[in-house]
Every structure is written in structure tokens, then in C-alpha cells.
Amino acid sequence: MVFSSNLGFPRVGANRELKKLIESYWAGKVTQEALLQGAKEIRVGHWKLQQEKGIDHIPSGDFSLYDHILDNSITFGVIPQKYQHLAPGLETYFAMGRGLQKPAVEGAAKIDVPAMEMKKWFDTNYHYIVPEFQKGQQFTLAKSAKVVNEFLEAKELGIHTRPVIVGPISYLLLGKTAKDSGDFDKLSLLPSLVSAYEQLLQRLAEAGATWVQVDEPFLSLDLTEQAKSSFKGVYETLSKASSSLKLLVATYFSQVGDNTDVLTSLPVAAIHVDLVRAPQQLDTVLEKINSTQILSLGLVNGRNIWKTNLAKALESVQKAVSKLGGDRVIVAPSCSLLHSPHSIEGEKKIEPEILDWLSFAVEKLREVTILAKAVDDAGSVKAELEANSKSIQARATSPRIHNPVVQDRLKNITPEMFKRNSPFPERRQSQEKKLGLPKFATTTVGSFPQTKEVRLARSKVRKGDWSQEEYDSFIKSEIEKTVRFQEDIGLDVLVHGESERNDMVEYFGENLDGYVFTQNGWVASYGTRCVKPPIIFGDIHRPKPMTVDVIKYAQSLTQKPMKGMLTGPITCLQWSFVRDDQPRQDTAFQLALAIRDEVQDLEKAGIPVIQIDEPAIREGLPLRQNEWKQYLQWAVDAFLLSSVGVEDSTQIHTHMCYSDFNDIFPSIKRMDADVITIENSKSDLKLLSAFETHSYTNWIGPGLYDIHSPRVPSVEEMEARLGDIVKLLPHELVWVNPDCGLKTRGWAETEAALKNLVAVARAARKQY
Ligand SMILES: [Zn+2]
């Protein structure tokens, strides 16, 4: 019999109940008891739901109040010194996740601890709390281990779950070494960690668990020989922890590739592979799987929102069954459903035709069980399989998806469309002539404070309390205020402030054909924070200019050059749910063409400077290095396609933030923007030295201060930063700007910070 399973369920709840609950607790509106009780109810609800959908192996321990890697750190006592004086339990836990500030009260000193570092979970938009290891660290299993407690909690309800833990090797590789520990090999900590894991497994066995899912996502990444060779020993030990436990080692997000032998030779009961990201690996894995292992097939995409083509997935199930027998096959989502929105049930605004193509976490569970049942008892799911095949057909042939005009343009892209008319030195001259900017020209990255009034205005027009005209005139007044503000401060290249945009991708999505929006399609990003990515369902087409009116209006208010603001094709792609019926590259090019048209219309409207933001270009990098080159080729091409269709004298800016760009430097160079403003506020000169090493020749605006905090940087501080910058970069190439948009800031601190920034630039013009 083929079993159905799930690898993890989104925690936040159908209506983000968990988020609201935890945030109320933080705000002091809810007691700890109520928080824990409420969280339990949500968890229980999710188990029951998975049971109703017919899932055989239901995960437990995947739930979290902040982050499952942080949970693991607590379970194994990986708590850095600076949190150890805090009250154990939730105080310590949330302090590690988000920092804690408490004024001194009688008998207790003040508390002021920062949050631990947060990092992206592989190539998803989820962020985990990075464990911090000491040299020679000893791991001790907590008396009360969350994953055991949650297993027992489900058991009490009569639900036999499969506890999920992150595997010891991935756990170490996800972490970093503590600063005061010097550099050491994290894997040297394995012996102590594995013995703590052994104890955990024994406790789970005593509690009655029969299966445990151990996630080792690093098996889908490039591993060192040393890491590779550590797997066997570790799993030999763990598989002997208890004779009554079966281990499933799960890996996902990419191809197992050269780690296949490692995976298939592990002495564990089952292995899981991602067949959505890497369908081609089924054959290899079937060939190499050892004769006792059970294979869990990740066939339902845990990271996108389209209905699974069940007929096609069933072929893979059948292939596996005919090779291994039904008893050695499990059907599963490709990865944890943490990365999917909860359910399509609440979606009232998406047209029925398109809604019929979608499947969120709850619907995906049913897809998994249908696939499992289809093998043993095809009759029982015949109707559902037929309905699925109808939806798949309907989507594939829907006229809503294909736009011949777009297809045609895509086919007729020529090599000239990726090149500016002249190389940078010539463009620079034309731009200097046209714009007449001083050295160390000052600008901002685009957005200005999005105050309560701005958000209120948006909600008023959405609810119908305001007419469109009322809203438009409000936005105009915001733009005027922002322009005057920048003139008063003395900035050189002005922006309109982006007050009409609630989100830099959503705004463009709303103005393009081919996009739809969910009301409730929230996906966890970090802690209680969720994002609601728009959905690209069809060919991207721009029915009319999207930003020209506002930018033109902004330019009409000032003699200074106005910078038009656009979101780049790769960022739109990365921060949306994208089509799975065409290569990502094609979608990126369609977006690029739409933006190219906008760029040209802005130019025609007399806008001399245009910025195309690409903060997400680095995060699109594939997990496997051998796929980088191909990605970077089309990603940079897409940017070029969007940006190069202008005169030499039109100045193209781009902006990047959020990551370390050193390893994609040659690609940044190939983007050939006239000006790049780039986050550099972590006073990390490594990035700048990359500009130096690669002898970057275009203009650069390394962020002079960090906008993520309300702190106002002093003149001296920014002067020192600029001093460091001009040591590495030719000063005539340097622009002066903050490191990202100002929308999360207040006006008062923005004014103070920008005044200092302008003062720094003016002084530099004299000094250098
Ligand atoms: Zn940014």
C-alpha cells in the first residue's frame, strides 16, 4: 500500500491567527497561558485537517512560535551567552528571535539584547535564526523537548504523527561560529551533537513514535568531501538509537546530484527527494536506492500555487511502484508546505476560471492523498482525477494565458535590444552635459516615509470611502510635499517618493495583464511576518503606461532632475508566484519588455533619470553552483532588455540590497547601469573592494547609512564612511545616498539624516 505523507504544514493559520496571537502577546494584551493555549488549538486544528484530508504520515514538531531552527537550538541548548541571564522559556526564546529591551525596574537591571542573525532559508523567502556555535561546544538535550511534547499532544488526541527534526549535519551547516570562538570547523561538533540527537530519538521512541522525519536539505547542495563523508557515520549511529524507530531522511529544493550515493547508502528506512525541482532524478534514485529503503516522492509542489498535474505525477508514482512495490513508496509534497499559502477557500476575488487552477496547502494535501490512493484503489479517486485533468487542460488552453502580441515580441527580440547605443564613457559625457550634476551627487533610493495617513488613504479608497479623485489628489499632495522637502534639503536628483505604492512588486503587478492577487495568500517570511506574493498566471502585457503620469507631475514641480522609479524584471519574478508552464526566463523577458516600454515612455515624457530596482537579483541564484552561470546569463539579459532602450543622455540607475554581492560581481558589471546604489551599510568594505578589484568603471552610490533603524547617523560618521569609500573607489565615480528606500522611516529622522548626508557631500566636493 502506498502511503501519503506531509513534510510540514504552514503554521500561521487560515486567517493568520497565529501571527495575531503572538503579536498580541508581545504587545502585552494576551497572557503566556493564553498564547500557549491558542497556539495549541491552531496546531491541533492543523493535525485534524491533515487527518481529514487522508494523510497517513502527519508531521508534528513542524509548528513554531517563531522559527523551527530556533526551536532546534533551544532543544539542544545552543543558547549564546548573552541570552543566558534571561528568564528561561519564552523570554529567552523571543529575545533570541527578535531581541529584547526592558527598562530597569527595582531589583532587576535593564535588559538590552539584540536579535540573533537571520538568514534566508535556502532559496525560499523564509528566514531562519542562525545558530551560533562555540568551539568545543557540548550539546545537551533539554529536559522538555518541543518535538516530543508535540508528538505526545497529538497522540493524546488519537493522532499518530511523524515528528520532524532538522538533521544534525544540516543544522551545523546552517549555523555560524561565534565571533569569540575564532574560526573552527563546525562539523567537528558532530560527535557531541549526534549523541544529543540519539537521546532525542530515544525519547521519541519511548513516547511511542514509529517514524521520524529528519530533514537534511544540504544533501541538495554542493557539499565538501568531508561533509559528504560524515553522513554515513552519523546515520549509522542515529539509526541504531532505537530499534522501534524508522528514520526518513528528507532533502529538497534541488537535485541530489553528486550526493545521490550518499543518500541512497544511508542506513535509514526511507529517503525523500524533490521531484518537482528535479524530476529527472527519479530514474537515478530508483536505480541507486538500496534494497531496504522506502522512497518518498516529492511530487506536489510545496513552493508554488498551481494544481498538480495528477496524471503526470501518477506516472512517476507508478514507475516507482513497479520498480519497488507499493510498500516501498510514499507520496508527498516536494518540501514542507510552510512555503504555501493556507487554502484557496477564502479567495473570493479571483475569477472562478483562474481559481480553478490553484492549489494552496490544504488543497495540496488532497492531491497527495489522491496520488497515493490512485495506485491501490483507483476507482475511489476517479472523479477527482478527472476533474483535475479538466482543470489542467483548461489552464493549458485558456486564451487568458496566451497573448499573441507578447509571444510575437518575444520571438522578435534581437541582440541589439540588449545593448546601449554607446559605452559608458560616452554616455557619461552626454549625461554630464544634460544634467549638470556636481561631483558626489546626492540622491535617495526612492521611497519616502509611508506614514499612517498614506496607508489610511489607501484603505479609504479601497473601501470606497474615498473616490478615486480624492485619492489621486491626496497622492499629488504627498508628491508635492516630498519634492519640496528634497529641494529644501538640497538633494540633487529627486524622486517622487512612491507614496502611491504599497509594495514595489504589487504596484506593477496591478498595472500589468497576466497578474492576479490573492486576498489571503500569506506565506511565512520570518517570525510572525508574512508576505503575500502576487501570482503571474499569463503572458505579461502592459496595457498602458504605469508610472508616467505621477513622475511627470513630480518633474513639473521642480527644475531639478526627477528620477523615475521602476521595479526590475527579476525582482518582479522573484517576489511573485510564477508560471510553471514556461521557463522562468521567458516570464522574466516578458516582464522586461513591459518595463522597457515604460522606460521609453518615461524618457519620451522628458524624465532624464530612470531607476530600475533589482534588490532580488542575488536571491534568484540556484542552489547548485553549476546552474549559476545560466541563471545569471538570462537574469542580466532581462535587466538589459528592460533598461537599454534609451538615449545616451538618459541616465539609468539600478539599486540592490539585502545580500552579499561579491560572488556575482561580474554580472553586476554586465548590467552596465550608469549608476548603481547599493546597500553597504554594514560598514563592510569587502563589497567595495570588489568594485575596486573588478575595476568597476560606472558611477556607484554605496549606501552611506542604514535605513533599517530610526537612528540618525551623524555627519562625522558618514564622513568617515565616505572616507573609506574614496580610498577604494575613484572619487569622481562616487554618489552619495542612503542604502535603501525610506518608506519604513518617519519624517523627522529622515530629515535629520538627509541633511547630514547633504552636508557630507558638500564637504567632500571641497575636500576631494
Ligand atoms: Zn533596497
Side-chain angles (χ1 to χ4, degrees):
M1 172 181 162
V2 174
F3 283 116
S4 59
S5 87
N6 184 20
L7 268 53
F9 193 76
R11 313 150 181 158
V12 68
N15 293 301
R16 287 184 296 161
E17 293 83 352
L18 185 62
K19 174 194 174 70
K20 292 168 194 162
L21 182 63
I22 297 173
E23 288 176 0
S24 310
Y25 170 75
W26 289 341
K29 292 187 199 135
V30 151
T31 62
Q32 166 160 334
E33 210 184 5
L35 168 68
L36 296 178
Q37 181 56 31
K40 177 176 172 178
E41 279 160 23
I42 294 170
R43 208 155 51 221
V44 168
H46 292 170
W47 284 324
K48 290 194 171 150
L49 205 138
Q50 295 178 78
Q51 200 176 36
E52 268 164 38
K53 297 285 160 188
I55 296 290
D56 299 313
H57 291 190
I58 296 171
S60 60
D62 55 334
F63 184 87
S64 183
L65 291 174
Y66 203 87
D67 163 47
H68 55 284
I69 300 302
L70 178 57
D71 293 329
N72 205 57
S73 295
I74 299 283
T75 297
F76 293 108
V78 187
I79 301 171
Q81 188 72 41
K82 60 172 166 281
Y83 306 97
Q84 287 180 8
H85 66 289
L86 303 176
L90 288 185
E91 179 168 291
T92 302
Y93 179 73
F94 285 131
M96 288 167 78
R98 57 197 294 269
L100 180 64
Q101 281 185 315
K102 259 199 205 170
V105 284
E106 218 173 307
K110 84 166 203 214
I111 298 177
D112 188 0
V113 285
M116 290 177 72
E117 190 188 335
M118 193 164 75
K119 242 193 183 160
K120 274 169 70 70
W121 179 246
F122 301 92
D123 60 351
T124 71
N125 227 333
Y126 179 76
H127 301 72
Y128 71 96
I129 300 294
V130 181
E132 205 178 296
F133 303 119
Q134 301 287 331
K135 194 169 193 166
Q137 169 140 12
Q138 295 297 309
F139 299 87
T140 38
L141 179 60
K143 282 206 192 71
S144 159
K146 175 180 167 292
V147 66
V148 180
N149 300 342
E150 287 178 12
F151 174 80
L152 288 169
E153 194 178 87
K155 187 177 165 192
E156 226 166 76
L157 297 164
I159 304 177
H160 185 79
T161 55
R162 181 174 82 188
V164 184
I165 50 179
V166 59
I169 299 173
S170 292
Y171 177 63
L172 288 178
L173 294 177
L174 285 166
K176 63 175 184 187
T177 56
K179 269 211 188 94
D180 48 7
S181 263
D183 223 11
F184 67 92
D185 176 14
K186 288 179 288 178
L187 292 179
S188 68
L189 303 177
L190 266 176
S192 165
L193 182 61
V194 169
S195 97
Y197 264 79
E198 259 185 288
Q199 291 170 34
L200 177 63
L201 290 176
Q202 279 153 6
R203 263 203 234 163
L204 282 168
E206 279 157 27
T210 45
W211 276 97
V212 175
Q213 173 187 327
V214 190
D215 284 358
E216 289 282 11
F218 273 86
L219 279 169
S220 293
L221 266 59
D222 300 315
L223 288 174
T224 60
E225 283 308 314
Q226 184 215 3
K228 267 191 205 173
S229 60
S230 61
F231 272 90
K232 197 152 187 191
V234 166
Y235 281 89
E236 250 155 27
T237 310
L238 294 185
S239 64
K240 283 188 205 125
S242 157
S243 57
S244 59
L245 268 194
K246 290 188 211 151
L247 301 187
L248 167 103
V249 171
T251 180
Y252 35 76
F253 296 155
S254 184
Q255 31 153 337
V256 190
D258 57 342
N259 301 324
T260 308
D261 288 324
V262 177
L263 180 64
T264 54
S265 60
L266 292 182
V268 293
I271 57 175
H272 169 90
V273 292
D274 186 335
L275 296 173
V276 173
R277 272 294 173 89
Q280 73 285 2
Q281 65 183 344
L282 178 60
D283 289 330
T284 338
V285 172
L286 281 175
E287 190 185 303
K288 295 199 163 171
I289 190 165
N290 85 40
S291 59
T292 58
Q293 282 175 338
I294 294 173
L295 182 59
S296 165
L297 309 168
L299 288 167
V300 170
N301 195 342
R303 298 190 42 183
N304 208 337
I305 41 65
W306 305 108
K307 268 188 186 169
T308 306
N309 182 337
L310 292 177
K312 204 163 147 230
L314 196 52
E315 286 170 19
S316 300
V317 183
Q318 269 149 355
K319 192 180 216 178
V321 168
S322 69
K323 177 89 197 284
L324 306 174
D327 292 342
R328 285 182 60 203
V329 174
I330 298 176
V331 179
S334 59
C335 60
S336 167
L337 297 178
L338 177 63
H339 313 290
S340 295
H342 186 89
S343 166
I344 62 167
E345 221 159 85
E347 299 302 332
K348 303 280 178 266
K349 294 208 173 134
I350 300 180
E351 294 158 67
E353 182 189 355
I354 294 174
L355 195 62
D356 179 55
W357 305 341
L358 305 181
S359 163
F360 296 174
V362 172
E363 294 75 36
K364 285 173 193 294
L365 294 172
R366 188 61 198 155
E367 294 180 343
V368 168
T369 48
I370 294 172
L371 284 173
K373 285 225 173 76
V375 178
D376 301 316
D377 183 10
S380 70
V381 291
K382 191 163 165 260
E384 281 169 289
L385 283 171
E386 274 169 15
N388 174 271
S389 131
K390 261 202 199 136
S391 306
I392 300 291
Q393 274 287 324
R395 180 177 160 214
T397 53
S398 167
R400 304 286 304 276
I401 288 187
H402 306 288
N403 181 335
V405 177
V406 178
Q407 294 295 335
D408 229 44
R409 279 193 80 189
L410 221 51
K411 266 190 235 121
N412 291 316
I413 293 177
T414 58
E416 285 67 49
M417 291 169 76
F418 298 94
K419 268 198 247 103
R420 287 290 290 260
N421 294 335
S422 316
F424 177 70
E426 281 160 52
R427 301 194 315 256
R428 178 176 168 172
Q429 277 184 3
S430 329
Q431 290 166 22
E432 278 170 348
K433 207 159 115 208
K434 176 161 166 196
L435 299 171
L437 294 170
K439 305 205 293 191
F440 294 104
T442 54
T443 191
T444 62
V445 172
S447 57
F448 268 78
Q450 290 237 338
T451 51
K452 250 193 239 127
E453 295 80 73
V454 176
R455 287 192 301 256
L456 195 68
R458 246 195 298 282
S459 101
K460 277 187 189 155
V461 66
R462 203 173 43 230
K463 290 190 191 133
D465 297 349
W466 263 12
S467 66
Q468 189 62 38
E469 290 72 46
E470 276 169 301
Y471 177 73
D472 289 348
S473 81
F474 170 82
I475 292 294
K476 276 190 159 175
S477 68
E478 280 294 305
I479 293 174
E480 182 164 3
K481 185 167 92 190
T482 308
V483 171
R484 296 287 166 252
F485 175 90
Q486 295 169 86
E487 284 190 321
D488 290 346
I489 289 206
L491 289 157
D492 301 309
V493 173
L494 309 195
V495 296
H496 76 296
E498 301 180 25
S499 57
E500 80 287 15
R501 307 179 188 175
N502 56 348
D503 175 274
M504 61 187 289
V505 172
E506 192 172 45
Y507 178 79
F508 289 93
E510 278 169 352
N511 285 287
L512 290 167
D513 294 342
Y515 262 104
V516 280
F517 299 85
T518 66
Q519 283 162 279
N520 216 13
W522 297 98
V523 179
S525 175
Y526 64 87
T528 55
R529 203 184 147 79
C530 299
V531 292
K532 193 154 63 78
I535 298 173
I536 301 178
F537 71 90
D539 287 342
I540 295 291
H541 179 252
R542 187 191 71 138
K544 57 178 199 302
M546 305 181 279
T547 64
V548 174
D549 285 349
V550 275
I551 307 289
K552 230 166 94 179
Y553 172 69
Q555 180 67 86
S556 76
L557 301 169
T558 178
Q559 297 298 317
K560 295 219 169 154
M562 180 58 56
K563 177 158 75 166
M565 282 294 153
L566 303 171
T567 302
I570 301 301
T571 300
C572 288
L573 186 80
Q574 274 307 117
W575 293 351
S576 304
F577 285 120
V578 297
R579 296 169 68 169
D580 59 354
D581 59 346
Q582 72 180 17
R584 291 168 74 78
Q585 162 173 0
D586 293 358
T587 308
F589 276 31
Q590 292 184 1
L591 286 158
L593 286 172
I595 295 160
R596 182 185 179 95
D597 294 346
E598 188 73 15
V599 167
Q600 290 176 335
D601 283 342
L602 283 167
E603 182 183 56
K604 267 186 230 139
I607 306 304
V609 184
I610 298 163
Q611 177 166 311
I612 305 171
D613 290 323
E614 283 294 19
I617 198 156
R618 171 72 178 69
E619 57 182 74
L621 269 190
L623 293 172
R624 290 287 200 164
Q625 273 208 23
N626 63 4
E627 296 166 14
W628 281 22
K629 204 172 145 207
Q630 199 197 2
Y631 162 77
L632 287 168
Q633 181 67 39
W634 62 255
V636 174
D637 280 350
F639 177 82
L640 289 170
L641 188 58
S642 72
S643 62
V644 300
V646 288
E647 298 297 328
D648 285 357
S649 60
T650 296
Q651 189 169 69
I652 297 290
H653 289 214
T654 189
H655 164 71
M656 288 182 193
C657 55
Y658 287 144
S659 34
D660 197 352
F661 295 102
N662 297 38
D663 48 6
I664 61 162
F665 211 88
S667 302
I668 295 183
K669 207 168 157 177
R670 197 163 75 84
M671 288 165 72
D672 195 26
D674 297 310
V675 182
I676 178 170
T677 61
I678 192 159
E679 174 179 328
N680 166 60
S681 52
K682 291 174 193 90
S683 58
D684 176 8
L685 296 176
K686 226 172 59 195
L687 172 68
L688 296 181
S689 53
F691 279 92
E692 188 195 24
T693 326
H694 294 266
S695 51
Y696 193 80
T697 53
N698 301 13
W699 278 302
I700 318 161
L704 270 205
Y705 75 93
D706 177 11
I707 58 86
H708 301 92
S709 135
R711 231 184 119 247
V712 175
S714 66
V715 170
E716 295 71 38
E717 195 178 319
M718 286 191 278
E719 242 162 22
R721 177 77 50 87
L722 190 61
D724 288 339
I725 292 170
V726 295
K727 269 184 222 139
L728 290 168
L729 304 173
H731 58 78
E732 60 284 357
L733 293 186
V734 175
W735 279 60
V736 170
N737 45 266
D739 73 344
C740 191
L742 298 161
K743 74 170 170 202
T744 55
R745 297 275 57 87
W747 279 103
E749 74 235 27
T750 297
E751 177 172 356
L754 291 180
K755 276 189 173 151
N756 288 353
L757 180 122
V758 169
V760 170
R762 287 187 178 152
R765 281 167 205 158
K766 295 201 186 113
Q767 190 183 344
Y768 300 103

